[in-house]
Amino acid sequence: MRLILVGPPGAGKGTQAVHLAAHFGIPHISTGDIFRANIKGGTDLGKLAKSYLDSGNLVPDSVTNEMIKDRLSHGDTASGFLLDGYPRNVEQAEFLAEVLLKNLTPLDAVLELSIPNEEIIKRLSGRRVCRNCGATSHVIFDKSKVDGVCDNCGGELYQREDDKEEVVANRLNVYKDQTEPIIDFYDKHGLLRVISAVGDVSEISTNAIAALK
Ligand code: AMP
């Protein structure tokens, strides 16, 4: 199964990606997670990416494309993969198509998580992430048992710099201007499936799996 998950920030791509990757037995590849791990580790890639992530803008394609090409060359992708957060513009989608064509590994489907803007703002402004394990919670919809402490590992919960209001507005604009056109691109290739990202997490997972069968 070779899949792409697409949807605006806050649609729940990360959460659904974890379920889908486990269901299909494929690696979950999140470009955002790779950038954040590099920022945390103080690598050259992290230093380069930090200002883009903090402002909600896209890291340059040359950097992101090479990073994903390298990741797709790892052995674990032989069983397939689920891309979360990549591609994010038509140039990246074209680059990916070339890489997959060379590897003779065509995509099976692109799943769009669809959600209205008001819902996104509510979700992102309350989202908290564990500094240690990356698990997410929400100050209203999915509260941790102890304020500021991760239920999963006891790590410290924090608000991502790019979940702050001004940056969220920019991320939504970037999504609309740059990422939405890839939906049309994949629709023309007959790969697109769309489900609603509003409602219960497990119900959305069930709908996602049904849409991919
Ligand atoms: P995410 O965790 O997917 O919301 O990504 C967080 C941030 O990482 C984005 O706002 C971008 O700054 C950067 N990023 C993630 N994926 C990409 C990509 N495919 N191309 C460029 N920048 C990306």
Side-chain angles (χ1 to χ4, degrees):
M1 211 25 152
R2 287 180 289 271
L3 298 174
I4 290 176
L5 204 52
V6 63
K13 294 191 296 298
T15 307
Q16 290 305 325
V18 170
H19 288 280
L20 291 173
H23 179 84
F24 291 112
I26 51 178
H28 165 207
I29 302 176
S30 154
T31 39
D33 285 351
I34 300 175
F35 286 131
R36 280 184 290 277
N38 276 276
I39 292 172
K40 196 173 166 195
T43 67
D44 287 346
L45 174 62
K47 284 179 195 142
L48 186 152
K50 186 171 185 333
S51 63
Y52 295 99
L53 270 85
D54 285 350
S55 59
N57 291 315
L58 296 186
V59 176
D61 288 347
S62 53
V63 175
T64 311
N65 284 341
E66 286 311 313
M67 182 177 92
I68 212 78
K69 187 176 169 191
D70 174 69
R71 180 63 188 85
L72 289 175
S73 71
H74 295 191
D76 63 346
T77 61
S79 57
F81 52 76
L82 189 155
L83 295 180
D84 159 13
Y86 182 92
R88 248 177 160 102
N89 59 29
V90 172
E91 291 72 21
Q92 292 182 6
E94 284 168 347
F95 178 86
L96 177 68
E98 260 176 53
V99 172
L100 297 181
L101 187 68
K102 266 197 205 129
N103 296 347
L104 302 176
T105 52
L107 286 173
D108 292 299
V110 175
L111 183 67
E112 180 194 354
L113 297 180
S114 160
I115 176 171
N117 268 6
E118 317 80 78
E119 180 72 20
I120 295 175
I121 313 253
K122 261 196 282 177
R123 284 189 188 187
L124 290 185
S125 57
R127 175 160 77 175
R128 298 293 179 268
V129 184
C130 174
R131 250 185 229 293
N132 183 45
C133 74
T136 54
S137 56
H138 192 283
V139 293
I140 299 167
F141 308 124
D142 181 19
K143 275 170 86 110
S144 57
K145 291 193 188 92
V146 180
D147 267 0
V149 179
C150 174
D151 283 351
N152 198 31
C153 74
E156 181 202 352
L157 295 175
Y158 77 107
Q159 182 176 41
R160 274 170 52 171
E161 197 54 43
D162 60 349
D163 280 347
K164 296 186 175 156
E165 208 176 315
E166 332 66 83
V167 185
V168 166
N170 187 40
R171 287 165 73 203
L172 288 175
N173 285 336
V174 168
Y175 182 79
K176 193 167 181 347
D177 295 344
Q178 301 188 49
T179 308
E180 261 183 10
I182 71 170
I183 292 175
D184 214 35
F185 175 93
Y186 287 121
D187 197 18
K188 286 196 179 115
H189 287 78
L191 290 168
L192 187 69
R193 322 277 163 85
V194 186
I195 61 161
S196 164
V198 182
D200 199 59
V201 171
S202 61
E203 189 191 323
I204 298 167
S205 296
T206 306
N207 293 341
I209 289 164
L212 293 169
K213 280 217 165 113

